[in-house]
Amino acid sequence: MRLRVEFTTEPFDLDEAPAHALVAREVVEAAELDAVDVGPFGNTVEGGADEVLTAVDALLRKTLKAGATRISLQVNVLGEGE
């Protein structure tokens, strides 16, 4: 099974990336995922279910520890052609 996860961490700071946002980027870029798109207002990752769920676990734990007060996630199961 393949998954796509879209996520944001808060609080936002448009002047400088907060520590939790930098940690989120480090986590997903270090994970064994097929696709990673990191942006200022949202992030998307794709890959096999085990790899994505492992990355999400690390993302939640590490960004909360780094000061995130809210993390929004959307998880989608991808079809064969996606």
Side-chain angles (χ1 to χ4, degrees):
M1 175 186 322
R2 291 185 43 78
L3 300 176
R4 176 185 297 133
V5 174
E6 298 173 47
F7 70 92
T8 58
T9 61
E10 296 179 40
F12 294 114
D13 184 343
L14 296 177
D15 295 326
E16 184 177 331
H20 59 81
L22 298 175
V23 167
R25 175 181 227 148
E26 290 171 6
V27 168
V28 297
E29 287 181 345
E32 296 182 21
L33 301 169
D34 298 335
V36 175
D37 182 20
V38 177
F41 300 109
N43 310 284
T44 305
V45 299
E46 291 183 18
D50 288 338
E51 293 79 13
V52 170
L53 294 174
T54 297
V56 167
D57 177 65
L59 173 82
L60 292 171
R61 292 174 189 278
K62 292 181 179 184
T63 56
L64 289 169
K65 188 174 182 179
T69 58
R70 179 178 180 172
I71 303 163
S72 300
L73 291 169
Q74 179 175 319
V75 181
N76 293 293
V77 176
L78 299 177
E80 291 280 327
E82 294 183 77

